[in-house]
Amino acid sequence: MKMNAAILTCSSLRTYVDIAQQKMNTDYPVIMIDRIHHVDPDRMKKIIQEELEENNLRIDTLLVAMGFCGGVWNQVRAVVRTVIPRVDDCVSMLLATDSKYIPNRKQAGHLYLYEEDPKDFSAFSLLRDYVKASDEFKGIDKEYLFHMWFDQYYFLDIIDTGYNNCYEEKYAEQAQENADMIHAALDYVPGSNIILEKLVSGNWDEQFLVAKEGDMIQHGDFF
């Protein structure tokens, strides 16, 4: 499908966007948002709007390599045709291995690791970034926050996307360190890059919201 498009993604999925473009032989420009802003959906929504205005792209289609992300896309009016995977977040996106519409594929009590380099995932770095990104957490005891966030997880699952070399010894060792840090059992679960491949190739089915210019994007479009 020929289109004049750009891809909007958060930094957590940039590698997977690049892989999808290489596989599907596309070369759309990419606008990247730092994943640190996920902690505050309203702020992230504002930053996305600012980035799109700043880039001033002359496009007819915006391909969004993100999910609903806590409300980032709620009550947003599409300024061009906007295509978004109908998932709650990037984890559910990478857990998809088929074309069934399932907005949330995560399991309660499970934390997921999918980074290409496991050093990019760290319970401590996640904590630091969240405190840095939101005034809500400033001044609160770091140990208290750590337990508040991570005591709910009993499993750390590595998503085997086929691209993250997750069975290599160094990868497994780094993942095990993080599992030990939060007192969780380490395991592997299957995943894939199928949704991003369909996004960039224009193969949009029920897993995607396709909003026309002027449409109001809402919570009910995803769930």
Side-chain angles (χ1 to χ4, degrees):
M1 176 185 294
K2 289 185 178 180
M3 52 187 163
N4 181 18
I7 300 172
L8 176 73
T9 187
C10 86
S11 56
S12 64
L13 284 178
R14 177 57 197 262
T15 297
Y16 288 101
V17 168
D18 291 343
I19 290 170
Q21 290 224 80
Q22 291 167 10
K23 182 173 180 178
M24 308 312 293
N25 296 312
T26 60
D27 189 25
Y28 300 122
V30 177
I31 303 169
M32 188 169 67
I33 307 297
D34 194 322
R35 70 178 182 176
I36 192 175
H37 300 302
H38 272 289
V39 67
D40 187 339
D42 288 335
R43 180 181 178 187
M44 190 168 188
K45 181 187 295 187
K46 182 179 179 181
I47 289 172
I48 288 173
Q49 292 171 342
E50 291 173 350
E51 284 288 337
L52 293 176
E53 291 172 0
E54 182 179 327
N55 280 274
N56 194 27
L57 296 170
R58 299 180 182 276
I59 59 174
D60 58 42
T61 304
L62 180 65
L63 304 173
V64 180
M66 297 169 56
F68 188 67
C69 297
V72 168
W73 295 101
N74 193 35
Q75 297 296 311
V76 173
R77 192 170 298 280
V79 295
V80 297
R81 180 174 63 171
T82 302
V83 186
I84 313 175
R86 295 172 65 208
V87 293
D88 61 340
D89 59 23
C90 54
V91 172
S92 289
M93 189 184 306
L94 293 177
L95 284 172
T97 56
D98 54 43
S99 293
K100 294 178 182 177
Y101 163 62
I102 302 176
N104 182 1
R105 294 176 182 254
K106 300 185 298 296
Q107 289 185 309
H110 291 246
L111 184 64
Y112 295 89
L113 187 161
Y114 56 83
E115 284 76 6
E116 185 180 27
D117 185 342
K119 291 182 179 179
D120 292 335
F121 176 97
S122 164
F124 282 127
S125 66
L126 288 172
L127 178 68
R128 182 194 64 235
D129 289 347
Y130 271 50
V131 171
K132 180 180 177 181
S134 177
D135 293 334
E136 178 184 354
F137 303 120
K138 287 183 171 59
I140 300 179
D141 182 75
K142 302 298 189 299
E143 184 175 353
Y144 170 80
L145 283 177
F146 188 90
H147 287 288
M148 182 180 75
W149 283 336
F150 296 112
D151 283 358
Q152 62 182 307
Y153 297 113
Y154 304 100
F155 302 92
L156 177 59
D157 292 343
I158 302 172
I159 304 177
D160 178 11
T161 62
Y163 298 107
N164 49 357
N165 298 318
C166 58
Y167 291 98
E168 289 187 352
E169 184 177 357
K170 289 183 179 180
Y171 196 110
E173 288 177 352
Q174 184 69 31
Q176 186 65 61
E177 287 182 16
N178 278 281
D180 293 342
M181 194 183 306
I182 63 174
H183 306 290
L186 185 67
D187 202 355
Y188 288 83
V189 293
S192 79
N193 209 28
I194 185 174
I195 288 184
L196 290 179
E197 291 168 4
K198 292 197 296 183
L199 177 71
V200 302
S201 65
N203 184 23
W204 310 320
D205 53 20
E206 66 173 351
Q207 287 184 315
F208 296 87
L209 163 66
V210 182
K212 300 187 298 294
E213 180 181 350
D215 284 354
M216 180 66 75
I217 301 170
Q218 303 182 66
H219 177 275
D221 295 323
F222 292 82
F223 305 101

